[in-house]
Amino acid sequence: MTATLDLWPIGNCQVSALVDRAGRFVWGCVPRVDGEPTFCSLLDDKPKGGEEGSHGFWDIDLDGCVETTQSYVRNTPVLRTQHRDADGNAIEVIDFAPRFHRNGRMYRPVAFCRIVRPVSGSPRVRVRLRPARDWGARVPERTRGTNHIRYLLDDMVLRLSTSAPVGWIEDERLFRVERPLYFFLGPDESFSTEIPTAVEAMLDHTVAGWRHWVRGLATPAEWQDAVIRAAITLKLCQHEETGAIVAALTTSIPEHAGSQRNWDYRFCWIRDAYYTVQALNRLGALDVLEGYLEYLRNIVDNAKGGHIQPLYGVGGEARLPEGEAEALNGYRGMGPVRIGNQAYEQVQHDAYGQIVLSNAQAFFDQRLFRIAGEQDFEALEPVGERAWKAFDQPDAGLWELRTRSHVHTYSAAMCWAACDRLASVARHLGLSARAEFWQGRADTMREKIETAAWRPETNRMSATFSGDDLDASLIQLLDLRFVAPDDPRFRGTLEAVEAGLRRGSHMLRYATEDDFGLPHTAFNVCTFWLIEALHATGRVGDARVLLEEMIDRRTPAGLLSEDIDPATGELWGNYPQTYSLVGLINSAMLLSKPWTEVR
């Protein structure tokens, strides 16, 4: 089967897996999202030895299957897949990763559960659990017990505990399903209770836990299903143990066919995480913000007032050396498969603004468990100092150009926002001298940015201080409150960006050559930025049309990747992409009719 992004994520904020349209686990890493893939067939177009010798997947095949349908259990990331053959024999497979409160803390093991239930007739299935190790290069050794099989991976040992006949699972035999079958693939530990009872209880508790979380979301009246699914998936992208938020669950899905633009997104970008918490804050999901702020405070502490990287590992790791997995030939054979991301070595000044912006809410929001105070403000001031020193200096920019640097208007405006928001926080804390200090710096920065980036001859802002460049990030000057919607400079900039970068219903990041040539696909979050700008400038009807089109572009799971082909509508890039889901949430919150119209 040709790989597609018709994938259904399951997870528990510790581990995740992507399930394809046939109900097969094709991607999943342990012991955490940036670990080695136990399931890697998504990135292995030509497995060694043919199908019988392939590995890196887990499927439960119905003999003679002719129809497969999939859906999530409402308001959860619990997946229900139904298979039916030509004679009416059918099974249902429930896939989930346990996550619920137990013994006063969150139980989220490195584990995946599968339940197989007979639905009609006399269905026969074959279970093939073939994990991989060493990034697809080897098959792990295994040992067998009475009711389990152990798989010896590089970083841990996984144990499959099951109520199905172990020998038939190990031999991959066809057998009839006459009762529910239970599978728990997790730590190398014995079950203390009966497997069916334990897994059914885990399912009930997991469903209840997710529905409780969703119940607390302040969703818009319209597009609720889309917003709820996006919010759940953003939550899955948080590594709850540390609070880090990854940009996507995958690595090396190309930005377009044969592009070589294959990057590892399983890390925490300061920028992406800022946008994620911003969107979830609008829904009232403050647990994500609180977890991320704890992670971010540790990043700032460890920097000791010095350079802050654009991204870190989910455990706060600073070094993320980039290499390639040679045993995997890539999505549809389009390698390379990259591990790590060299961007950690880059200079991207916008991170300073995003750190302050993420923290600012904690000084004002009385709902939080931990309200930020004067000591927290003092800890942020060195970040403001870095922003002040860096705002008019070259960097790689938010698009992470690898072979060139400029003074980017977006980065400069983010640095301005750092100082501007520090002034606001200082006023809130009654620190008048510090407020005056930071406001003075913000005013100086604003004047320099407005002078250096404005191009009167073309009536627009430039994406760089030195050129006359178009870049979709210029739209974000509105969200930063650097410009107002009725500012003629913003109107001119929006008009130019839309004319130069819009391709039908989609927006490019930029339309000039970069390190890999001309980009061929549109960047989904840029389309959502355009929707927000259209709304702010009074073109609400146009904004709604674009939003409806983007909602229609989602996968059957209700999600989006990073990129889209404007001509075909095919999704490309890492998946699910937090940027894209953030844009969906923000746009829906802006454009939805109020609840008063439906009550």
Side-chain angles (χ1 to χ4, degrees):
M1 179 184 294
T2 301
T4 74
L5 294 185
D6 182 354
L7 301 169
W8 300 72
I10 64 170
N12 61 3
C13 306
Q14 172 67 35
V15 290
S16 57
L18 298 181
V19 184
D20 74 3
R21 56 189 169 174
R24 170 187 289 197
F25 282 34
V26 295
W27 182 257
C29 303
V30 298
R32 62 189 201 185
V33 66
D34 59 351
E36 283 197 12
T38 299
F39 308 113
C40 57
S41 60
L42 177 66
L43 300 182
D44 200 2
D45 185 60
K46 295 179 180 178
K48 299 177 181 65
E51 182 65 20
E52 292 304 313
S54 63
H55 54 277
F57 65 89
W58 184 7
D59 63 11
I60 298 173
D61 287 337
L62 174 67
D63 189 30
C65 181
V66 296
E67 181 185 19
T68 298
T69 59
Q70 291 170 295
S71 62
Y72 281 117
V73 175
R74 189 176 72 90
N75 291 355
T76 77
V78 176
L79 178 61
R80 178 188 291 117
T81 302
Q82 292 189 322
H83 303 283
R84 185 175 301 275
D85 68 16
D87 298 320
N89 302 305
I91 61 170
E92 176 183 76
V93 181
I94 304 295
D95 295 324
F96 69 100
R99 181 182 179 276
F100 51 88
H101 282 283
R102 187 177 75 173
N103 299 329
R105 58 185 177 181
M106 188 63 73
Y107 175 67
R108 47 172 187 270
V110 180
F112 305 101
C113 295
R114 311 194 78 173
I115 302 173
V116 182
R117 293 175 176 148
V119 173
S120 62
S122 302
R124 287 161 53 82
V125 302
R126 176 183 285 111
V127 178
R128 296 186 297 174
L129 173 53
R130 298 181 181 178
R133 63 180 296 186
D134 194 17
W135 281 86
R138 292 186 292 158
V139 175
E141 297 179 15
R142 67 186 184 191
T143 63
R144 176 180 160 183
T146 305
N147 292 301
H148 71 263
I149 303 171
R150 299 167 69 247
Y151 299 90
L152 282 61
L153 306 178
D154 290 333
D155 293 327
M156 67 179 298
V157 176
L158 285 178
R159 177 191 293 230
L160 175 70
S161 299
T162 180
S163 65
V166 172
W168 292 355
I169 304 304
E170 189 173 37
D171 297 339
E172 298 183 354
R173 285 184 52 183
L174 271 171
F175 63 94
R176 181 179 292 194
V177 180
E178 297 185 339
R179 57 185 170 81
L181 303 175
Y182 298 86
F183 300 87
F184 181 91
L185 181 66
D188 188 22
E189 302 167 357
S190 298
F191 261 74
S192 58
T193 59
E194 292 184 352
I195 293 173
T197 302
V199 175
E200 285 285 2
M202 290 179 188
L203 174 61
D204 291 344
H205 293 322
T206 298
V207 167
W210 280 105
R211 286 181 171 170
H212 179 77
W213 186 81
V214 168
R215 188 172 178 269
L217 298 179
T219 58
E222 295 182 89
W223 308 295
Q224 283 189 69
D225 289 345
V227 169
I228 288 171
R229 182 54 49 199
I232 288 172
T233 308
L234 289 180
K235 177 65 178 172
L236 288 182
C237 289
Q238 182 168 49
H239 186 68
E240 208 166 42
E241 180 181 334
T242 63
I245 301 169
V246 298
L249 298 178
T250 57
T251 178
S252 303
I253 307 297
E255 292 182 14
H256 61 83
S259 66
Q260 298 285 305
R261 301 171 188 262
N262 303 4
W263 312 117
D264 192 346
Y265 277 8
R266 302 168 304 140
F267 307 111
C268 184
W269 270 259
I270 302 298
R271 178 188 315 112
D272 299 54
Y274 154 69
Y275 282 111
T276 299
V277 296
Q278 179 195 54
L280 290 177
N281 288 349
R282 290 170 177 170
L283 295 175
L286 297 180
D287 59 319
V288 178
L289 171 65
E290 289 178 318
Y292 177 61
L293 289 183
E294 184 174 342
Y295 173 85
L296 198 55
R297 289 177 185 124
N298 281 289
I299 294 295
V300 172
D301 287 349
N302 292 336
K304 302 183 189 305
H307 168 66
I308 292 177
Q309 298 174 190
L311 70 153
Y312 293 85
V314 297
E317 297 85 359
R319 295 191 70 256
L320 305 169
E322 187 174 298
E324 296 181 8
E326 297 182 0
L328 300 175
N329 71 346
Y331 180 78
R332 300 185 190 173
M334 300 175 188
V337 173
R338 289 191 171 95
I339 310 165
N341 199 304
Q342 187 184 347
Y344 83 92
E345 297 178 336
Q346 290 187 351
V347 173
Q348 296 176 29
H349 299 319
D350 57 310
Y352 302 116
Q354 287 132 9
I355 289 169
V356 175
L357 288 169
S358 295
N359 275 276
Q361 183 173 341
F363 293 90
F364 297 91
D365 197 331
Q366 293 296 318
R367 297 171 296 171
L368 298 176
F369 288 127
R370 182 186 182 280
I371 305 297
E374 192 169 334
Q375 285 187 329
D376 299 292
F377 172 76
E378 292 171 356
L380 282 177
E381 286 196 290
V383 179
E385 288 289 342
R386 295 289 299 189
W388 165 253
K389 293 175 181 177
F391 86 98
D392 58 354
Q393 299 301 306
D395 73 348
L398 80 163
W399 307 127
E400 301 184 339
L401 301 175
R402 293 194 167 203
T403 61
R404 67 190 78 171
S405 63
H406 302 282
V407 181
H408 289 91
T409 303
Y410 174 87
S411 296
M414 270 290 180
C415 288
W416 164 83
C419 297
D420 179 75
R421 302 317 192 265
L422 282 173
S424 297
V425 169
R427 283 192 291 270
H428 176 71
L429 295 175
L431 304 174
S432 56
R434 300 312 296 164
E436 183 177 350
F437 174 83
W438 287 112
Q439 192 61 62
R441 285 194 163 177
D443 292 344
T444 300
M445 295 162 78
R446 170 184 281 280
E447 182 179 358
K448 175 66 178 290
I449 295 167
E450 290 177 338
T451 301
W454 178 244
R455 300 292 177 267
E457 61 277 9
T458 51
N459 191 40
R460 62 178 174 84
M461 304 286 279
S462 169
T464 63
F465 282 15
S466 58
D468 192 5
D469 308 297
L470 274 180
D471 183 325
S473 66
L474 290 168
I475 301 174
Q476 284 292 282
L477 298 178
L478 181 65
D479 185 68
L480 289 176
R481 304 201 305 270
F482 189 84
V483 293
D486 59 354
D487 188 327
R489 295 172 302 176
F490 178 71
R491 296 287 181 130
T493 301
L494 175 60
E495 180 180 342
V497 168
E498 189 173 4
L501 301 181
R502 184 169 177 175
R503 301 292 185 269
S505 300
H506 305 286
M507 284 283 290
L508 305 180
R509 287 172 290 184
Y510 44 82
T512 54
E513 288 196 1
D514 59 16
D515 310 334
F516 293 84
L518 282 172
H520 293 171
T521 48
F523 206 67
N524 286 322
V525 74
C526 295
T527 303
F528 289 115
W529 289 350
L530 175 62
I531 290 170
E532 293 177 38
L534 294 178
H535 170 268
T537 53
R539 295 167 58 187
V540 177
D542 293 343
R544 287 183 67 92
V545 169
L546 281 186
L547 176 57
E548 292 283 5
E549 290 194 28
M550 289 302 293
I551 287 176
D552 288 343
R553 297 295 193 187
R554 295 175 302 151
T555 64
L559 303 173
L560 289 165
S561 64
E562 181 181 46
D563 305 275
I564 193 167
D565 187 320
T568 67
E570 184 175 10
L571 294 172
W572 290 89
N574 282 306
Y575 174 92
Q577 176 76 7
T578 55
Y579 260 161
S580 302
L581 301 180
V582 162
L584 190 156
I585 290 172
N586 288 341
S587 297
M589 294 291 283
L590 281 175
L591 294 170
S592 173
K593 61 188 177 185
W595 276 101
T596 53
E597 290 191 20
V598 300
R599 286 176 179 151

PDB file of all heavy atoms in Angstrom, residues 78-102:
ATOM      1  N   VAL A  78      -9.009   7.910  21.072  1.00  0.00           N
ATOM      2  CA  VAL A  78      -9.198   6.459  21.033  1.00  0.00           C
ATOM      3  C   VAL A  78      -9.796   6.114  19.670  1.00  0.00           C
ATOM      4  O   VAL A  78     -10.856   6.623  19.301  1.00  0.00           O
ATOM      5  CB  VAL A  78     -10.117   5.984  22.171  1.00  0.00           C
ATOM      6  CG1 VAL A  78     -10.392   4.493  22.053  1.00  0.00           C
ATOM      7  CG2 VAL A  78      -9.499   6.316  23.527  1.00  0.00           C
ATOM      8  N   LEU A  79      -9.129   5.242  18.937  1.00  0.00           N
ATOM      9  CA  LEU A  79      -9.500   4.956  17.552  1.00  0.00           C
ATOM     10  C   LEU A  79     -10.294   3.663  17.459  1.00  0.00           C
ATOM     11  O   LEU A  79      -9.913   2.634  18.029  1.00  0.00           O
ATOM     12  CB  LEU A  79      -8.245   4.858  16.693  1.00  0.00           C
ATOM     13  CG  LEU A  79      -8.439   4.523  15.214  1.00  0.00           C
ATOM     14  CD1 LEU A  79      -9.277   5.590  14.509  1.00  0.00           C
ATOM     15  CD2 LEU A  79      -7.093   4.330  14.523  1.00  0.00           C
ATOM     16  N   ARG A  80     -11.376   3.732  16.685  1.00  0.00           N
ATOM     17  CA  ARG A  80     -12.195   2.549  16.406  1.00  0.00           C
ATOM     18  C   ARG A  80     -12.095   2.234  14.918  1.00  0.00           C
ATOM     19  O   ARG A  80     -12.436   3.050  14.064  1.00  0.00           O
ATOM     20  CB  ARG A  80     -13.652   2.786  16.793  1.00  0.00           C
ATOM     21  CG  ARG A  80     -14.580   1.619  16.485  1.00  0.00           C
ATOM     22  CD  ARG A  80     -16.042   1.969  16.691  1.00  0.00           C
ATOM     23  NE  ARG A  80     -16.352   2.157  18.111  1.00  0.00           N
ATOM     24  CZ  ARG A  80     -16.757   3.289  18.644  1.00  0.00           C
ATOM     25  NH1 ARG A  80     -16.864   4.395  17.884  1.00  0.00           N
ATOM     26  NH2 ARG A  80     -17.046   3.372  19.930  1.00  0.00           N
ATOM     27  N   THR A  81     -11.608   1.033  14.577  1.00  0.00           N
ATOM     28  CA  THR A  81     -11.484   0.594  13.191  1.00  0.00           C
ATOM     29  C   THR A  81     -12.340  -0.652  12.997  1.00  0.00           C
ATOM     30  O   THR A  81     -12.219  -1.615  13.766  1.00  0.00           O
ATOM     31  CB  THR A  81     -10.020   0.275  12.839  1.00  0.00           C
ATOM     32  OG1 THR A  81      -9.210   1.439  13.077  1.00  0.00           O
ATOM     33  CG2 THR A  81      -9.896  -0.134  11.385  1.00  0.00           C
ATOM     34  N   GLN A  82     -13.183  -0.653  11.978  1.00  0.00           N
ATOM     35  CA  GLN A  82     -14.029  -1.805  11.676  1.00  0.00           C
ATOM     36  C   GLN A  82     -13.619  -2.379  10.328  1.00  0.00           C
ATOM     37  O   GLN A  82     -13.466  -1.648   9.342  1.00  0.00           O
ATOM     38  CB  GLN A  82     -15.503  -1.416  11.666  1.00  0.00           C
ATOM     39  CG  GLN A  82     -16.030  -1.049  13.061  1.00  0.00           C
ATOM     40  CD  GLN A  82     -17.538  -0.869  13.089  1.00  0.00           C
ATOM     41  OE1 GLN A  82     -18.119  -0.349  12.154  1.00  0.00           O
ATOM     42  NE2 GLN A  82     -18.158  -1.304  14.178  1.00  0.00           N
ATOM     43  N   HIS A  83     -13.439  -3.693  10.298  1.00  0.00           N
ATOM     44  CA  HIS A  83     -13.090  -4.421   9.082  1.00  0.00           C
ATOM     45  C   HIS A  83     -14.224  -5.382   8.740  1.00  0.00           C
ATOM     46  O   HIS A  83     -14.778  -6.049   9.629  1.00  0.00           O
ATOM     47  CB  HIS A  83     -11.805  -5.228   9.279  1.00  0.00           C
ATOM     48  CG  HIS A  83     -10.606  -4.415   9.696  1.00  0.00           C
ATOM     49  ND1 HIS A  83      -9.899  -3.639   8.820  1.00  0.00           N
ATOM     50  CD2 HIS A  83      -9.998  -4.278  10.905  1.00  0.00           C
ATOM     51  CE1 HIS A  83      -8.887  -3.052   9.455  1.00  0.00           C
ATOM     52  NE2 HIS A  83      -8.931  -3.422  10.729  1.00  0.00           N
ATOM     53  N   ARG A  84     -14.531  -5.492   7.448  1.00  0.00           N
ATOM     54  CA  ARG A  84     -15.604  -6.387   7.003  1.00  0.00           C
ATOM     55  C   ARG A  84     -15.146  -7.098   5.738  1.00  0.00           C
ATOM     56  O   ARG A  84     -14.515  -6.501   4.863  1.00  0.00           O
ATOM     57  CB  ARG A  84     -16.870  -5.575   6.732  1.00  0.00           C
ATOM     58  CG  ARG A  84     -18.111  -6.404   6.381  1.00  0.00           C
ATOM     59  CD  ARG A  84     -19.341  -5.506   6.249  1.00  0.00           C
ATOM     60  NE  ARG A  84     -19.591  -4.782   7.499  1.00  0.00           N
ATOM     61  CZ  ARG A  84     -20.285  -5.281   8.520  1.00  0.00           C
ATOM     62  NH1 ARG A  84     -20.785  -6.516   8.443  1.00  0.00           N
ATOM     63  NH2 ARG A  84     -20.485  -4.555   9.605  1.00  0.00           N
ATOM     64  N   ASP A  85     -15.485  -8.412   5.632  1.00  0.00           N
ATOM     65  CA  ASP A  85     -15.159  -9.144   4.406  1.00  0.00           C
ATOM     66  C   ASP A  85     -16.397  -9.273   3.520  1.00  0.00           C
ATOM     67  O   ASP A  85     -17.484  -8.790   3.865  1.00  0.00           O
ATOM     68  CB  ASP A  85     -14.533 -10.508   4.726  1.00  0.00           C
ATOM     69  CG  ASP A  85     -15.500 -11.490   5.372  1.00  0.00           C
ATOM     70  OD1 ASP A  85     -16.733 -11.274   5.319  1.00  0.00           O
ATOM     71  OD2 ASP A  85     -15.029 -12.499   5.941  1.00  0.00           O
ATOM     72  N   ALA A  86     -16.247  -9.916   2.375  1.00  0.00           N
ATOM     73  CA  ALA A  86     -17.324  -9.993   1.401  1.00  0.00           C
ATOM     74  C   ALA A  86     -18.497 -10.842   1.886  1.00  0.00           C
ATOM     75  O   ALA A  86     -19.615 -10.712   1.375  1.00  0.00           O
ATOM     76  CB  ALA A  86     -16.784 -10.550   0.082  1.00  0.00           C
ATOM     77  N   ASP A  87     -18.268 -11.700   2.872  1.00  0.00           N
ATOM     78  CA  ASP A  87     -19.319 -12.577   3.389  1.00  0.00           C
ATOM     79  C   ASP A  87     -20.018 -12.004   4.613  1.00  0.00           C
ATOM     80  O   ASP A  87     -20.848 -12.685   5.220  1.00  0.00           O
ATOM     81  CB  ASP A  87     -18.730 -13.949   3.728  1.00  0.00           C
ATOM     82  CG  ASP A  87     -18.163 -14.642   2.497  1.00  0.00           C
ATOM     83  OD1 ASP A  87     -18.794 -14.546   1.424  1.00  0.00           O
ATOM     84  OD2 ASP A  87     -17.083 -15.258   2.609  1.00  0.00           O
ATOM     85  N   GLY A  88     -19.674 -10.793   5.007  1.00  0.00           N
ATOM     86  CA  GLY A  88     -20.326 -10.172   6.156  1.00  0.00           C
ATOM     87  C   GLY A  88     -19.653 -10.428   7.483  1.00  0.00           C
ATOM     88  O   GLY A  88     -20.136  -9.969   8.525  1.00  0.00           O
ATOM     89  N   ASN A  89     -18.547 -11.161   7.482  1.00  0.00           N
ATOM     90  CA  ASN A  89     -17.792 -11.340   8.722  1.00  0.00           C
ATOM     91  C   ASN A  89     -17.097 -10.018   9.066  1.00  0.00           C
ATOM     92  O   ASN A  89     -16.554  -9.346   8.187  1.00  0.00           O
ATOM     93  CB  ASN A  89     -16.742 -12.441   8.560  1.00  0.00           C
ATOM     94  CG  ASN A  89     -17.345 -13.769   8.170  1.00  0.00           C
ATOM     95  OD1 ASN A  89     -18.244 -14.274   8.851  1.00  0.00           O
ATOM     96  ND2 ASN A  89     -16.885 -14.332   7.058  1.00  0.00           N
ATOM     97  N   ALA A  90     -17.118  -9.655  10.345  1.00  0.00           N
ATOM     98  CA  ALA A  90     -16.590  -8.337  10.707  1.00  0.00           C
ATOM     99  C   ALA A  90     -15.979  -8.343  12.096  1.00  0.00           C
ATOM    100  O   ALA A  90     -16.400  -9.119  12.975  1.00  0.00           O
ATOM    101  CB  ALA A  90     -17.696  -7.284  10.635  1.00  0.00           C
ATOM    102  N   ILE A  91     -14.987  -7.467  12.261  1.00  0.00           N
ATOM    103  CA  ILE A  91     -14.378  -7.239  13.573  1.00  0.00           C
ATOM    104  C   ILE A  91     -14.269  -5.743  13.811  1.00  0.00           C
ATOM    105  O   ILE A  91     -14.328  -4.938  12.880  1.00  0.00           O
ATOM    106  CB  ILE A  91     -12.965  -7.860  13.702  1.00  0.00           C
ATOM    107  CG1 ILE A  91     -12.014  -7.228  12.666  1.00  0.00           C
ATOM    108  CG2 ILE A  91     -13.019  -9.377  13.582  1.00  0.00           C
ATOM    109  CD1 ILE A  91     -10.556  -7.594  12.881  1.00  0.00           C
ATOM    110  N   GLU A  92     -14.109  -5.399  15.075  1.00  0.00           N
ATOM    111  CA  GLU A  92     -13.828  -4.027  15.484  1.00  0.00           C
ATOM    112  C   GLU A  92     -12.533  -4.033  16.278  1.00  0.00           C
ATOM    113  O   GLU A  92     -12.341  -4.885  17.153  1.00  0.00           O
ATOM    114  CB  GLU A  92     -14.971  -3.498  16.339  1.00  0.00           C
ATOM    115  CG  GLU A  92     -14.740  -2.107  16.892  1.00  0.00           C
ATOM    116  CD  GLU A  92     -15.880  -1.664  17.797  1.00  0.00           C
ATOM    117  OE1 GLU A  92     -15.946  -2.141  18.956  1.00  0.00           O
ATOM    118  OE2 GLU A  92     -16.706  -0.851  17.339  1.00  0.00           O
ATOM    119  N   VAL A  93     -11.644  -3.084  15.966  1.00  0.00           N
ATOM    120  CA  VAL A  93     -10.373  -2.945  16.683  1.00  0.00           C
ATOM    121  C   VAL A  93     -10.367  -1.582  17.376  1.00  0.00           C
ATOM    122  O   VAL A  93     -10.605  -0.559  16.747  1.00  0.00           O
ATOM    123  CB  VAL A  93      -9.172  -3.067  15.736  1.00  0.00           C
ATOM    124  CG1 VAL A  93      -7.862  -2.940  16.518  1.00  0.00           C
ATOM    125  CG2 VAL A  93      -9.209  -4.395  14.972  1.00  0.00           C
ATOM    126  N   ILE A  94     -10.113  -1.594  18.674  1.00  0.00           N
ATOM    127  CA  ILE A  94      -9.997  -0.363  19.458  1.00  0.00           C
ATOM    128  C   ILE A  94      -8.527  -0.157  19.800  1.00  0.00           C
ATOM    129  O   ILE A  94      -7.895  -1.030  20.407  1.00  0.00           O
ATOM    130  CB  ILE A  94     -10.819  -0.436  20.762  1.00  0.00           C
ATOM    131  CG1 ILE A  94     -12.282  -0.755  20.470  1.00  0.00           C
ATOM    132  CG2 ILE A  94     -10.681   0.860  21.557  1.00  0.00           C
ATOM    133  CD1 ILE A  94     -13.006   0.311  19.689  1.00  0.00           C
ATOM    134  N   ASP A  95      -7.979   0.992  19.398  1.00  0.00           N
ATOM    135  CA  ASP A  95      -6.571   1.317  19.650  1.00  0.00           C
ATOM    136  C   ASP A  95      -6.468   2.548  20.539  1.00  0.00           C
ATOM    137  O   ASP A  95      -7.129   3.566  20.275  1.00  0.00           O
ATOM    138  CB  ASP A  95      -5.845   1.608  18.332  1.00  0.00           C
ATOM    139  CG  ASP A  95      -5.758   0.398  17.430  1.00  0.00           C
ATOM    140  OD1 ASP A  95      -5.589  -0.714  17.943  1.00  0.00           O
ATOM    141  OD2 ASP A  95      -5.857   0.568  16.191  1.00  0.00           O
ATOM    142  N   PHE A  96      -5.624   2.475  21.560  1.00  0.00           N
ATOM    143  CA  PHE A  96      -5.417   3.633  22.423  1.00  0.00           C
ATOM    144  C   PHE A  96      -4.137   3.461  23.227  1.00  0.00           C
ATOM    145  O   PHE A  96      -3.572   2.361  23.322  1.00  0.00           O
ATOM    146  CB  PHE A  96      -6.617   3.830  23.377  1.00  0.00           C
ATOM    147  CG  PHE A  96      -6.776   2.776  24.435  1.00  0.00           C
ATOM    148  CD1 PHE A  96      -6.339   2.992  25.743  1.00  0.00           C
ATOM    149  CD2 PHE A  96      -7.380   1.552  24.144  1.00  0.00           C
ATOM    150  CE1 PHE A  96      -6.489   2.029  26.729  1.00  0.00           C
ATOM    151  CE2 PHE A  96      -7.533   0.571  25.123  1.00  0.00           C
ATOM    152  CZ  PHE A  96      -7.086   0.813  26.408  1.00  0.00           C
ATOM    153  N   ALA A  97      -3.679   4.575  23.790  1.00  0.00           N
ATOM    154  CA  ALA A  97      -2.573   4.570  24.744  1.00  0.00           C
ATOM    155  C   ALA A  97      -3.144   5.003  26.091  1.00  0.00           C
ATOM    156  O   ALA A  97      -3.788   6.054  26.176  1.00  0.00           O
ATOM    157  CB  ALA A  97      -1.462   5.516  24.299  1.00  0.00           C
ATOM    158  N   PRO A  98      -2.971   4.211  27.142  1.00  0.00           N
ATOM    159  CA  PRO A  98      -3.611   4.521  28.436  1.00  0.00           C
ATOM    160  C   PRO A  98      -3.147   5.852  28.995  1.00  0.00           C
ATOM    161  O   PRO A  98      -1.954   6.177  28.989  1.00  0.00           O
ATOM    162  CB  PRO A  98      -3.166   3.376  29.341  1.00  0.00           C
ATOM    163  CG  PRO A  98      -2.690   2.293  28.426  1.00  0.00           C
ATOM    164  CD  PRO A  98      -2.164   2.987  27.215  1.00  0.00           C
ATOM    165  N   ARG A  99      -4.100   6.636  29.477  1.00  0.00           N
ATOM    166  CA  ARG A  99      -3.779   7.904  30.141  1.00  0.00           C
ATOM    167  C   ARG A  99      -4.920   8.264  31.079  1.00  0.00           C
ATOM    168  O   ARG A  99      -6.021   8.568  30.626  1.00  0.00           O
ATOM    169  CB  ARG A  99      -3.564   9.025  29.127  1.00  0.00           C
ATOM    170  CG  ARG A  99      -3.204  10.366  29.772  1.00  0.00           C
ATOM    171  CD  ARG A  99      -3.037  11.461  28.740  1.00  0.00           C
ATOM    172  NE  ARG A  99      -2.726  12.739  29.373  1.00  0.00           N
ATOM    173  CZ  ARG A  99      -3.637  13.581  29.870  1.00  0.00           C
ATOM    174  NH1 ARG A  99      -4.934  13.285  29.771  1.00  0.00           N
ATOM    175  NH2 ARG A  99      -3.270  14.714  30.457  1.00  0.00           N
ATOM    176  N   PHE A 100      -4.647   8.221  32.374  1.00  0.00           N
ATOM    177  CA  PHE A 100      -5.672   8.578  33.352  1.00  0.00           C
ATOM    178  C   PHE A 100      -5.009   8.743  34.717  1.00  0.00           C
ATOM    179  O   PHE A 100      -3.868   8.308  34.939  1.00  0.00           O
ATOM    180  CB  PHE A 100      -6.769   7.504  33.425  1.00  0.00           C
ATOM    181  CG  PHE A 100      -6.263   6.090  33.601  1.00  0.00           C
ATOM    182  CD1 PHE A 100      -6.036   5.566  34.861  1.00  0.00           C
ATOM    183  CD2 PHE A 100      -6.023   5.286  32.489  1.00  0.00           C
ATOM    184  CE1 PHE A 100      -5.577   4.268  35.022  1.00  0.00           C
ATOM    185  CE2 PHE A 100      -5.556   3.981  32.644  1.00  0.00           C
ATOM    186  CZ  PHE A 100      -5.337   3.475  33.913  1.00  0.00           C
ATOM    187  N   HIS A 101      -5.723   9.400  35.615  1.00  0.00           N
ATOM    188  CA  HIS A 101      -5.203   9.596  36.968  1.00  0.00           C
ATOM    189  C   HIS A 101      -5.320   8.305  37.769  1.00  0.00           C
ATOM    190  O   HIS A 101      -6.361   7.640  37.764  1.00  0.00           O
ATOM    191  CB  HIS A 101      -5.961  10.715  37.680  1.00  0.00           C
ATOM    192  CG  HIS A 101      -5.526  12.087  37.253  1.00  0.00           C
ATOM    193  ND1 HIS A 101      -4.363  12.672  37.698  1.00  0.00           N
ATOM    194  CD2 HIS A 101      -6.096  12.987  36.403  1.00  0.00           C
ATOM    195  CE1 HIS A 101      -4.226  13.862  37.161  1.00  0.00           C
ATOM    196  NE2 HIS A 101      -5.265  14.082  36.366  1.00  0.00           N
ATOM    197  N   ARG A 102      -4.238   7.969  38.455  1.00  0.00           N
ATOM    198  CA  ARG A 102      -4.201   6.779  39.307  1.00  0.00           C
ATOM    199  C   ARG A 102      -3.213   7.019  40.428  1.00  0.00           C
ATOM    200  O   ARG A 102      -2.105   7.495  40.178  1.00  0.00           O
ATOM    201  CB  ARG A 102      -3.793   5.545  38.478  1.00  0.00           C
ATOM    202  CG  ARG A 102      -3.890   4.247  39.247  1.00  0.00           C
ATOM    203  CD  ARG A 102      -3.540   3.051  38.364  1.00  0.00           C
ATOM    204  NE  ARG A 102      -2.102   2.955  38.127  1.00  0.00           N
ATOM    205  CZ  ARG A 102      -1.533   1.916  37.504  1.00  0.00           C
ATOM    206  NH1 ARG A 102      -2.280   0.943  37.021  1.00  0.00           N
ATOM    207  NH2 ARG A 102      -0.220   1.894  37.335  1.00  0.00           N
TER     208      ARG A 102
END
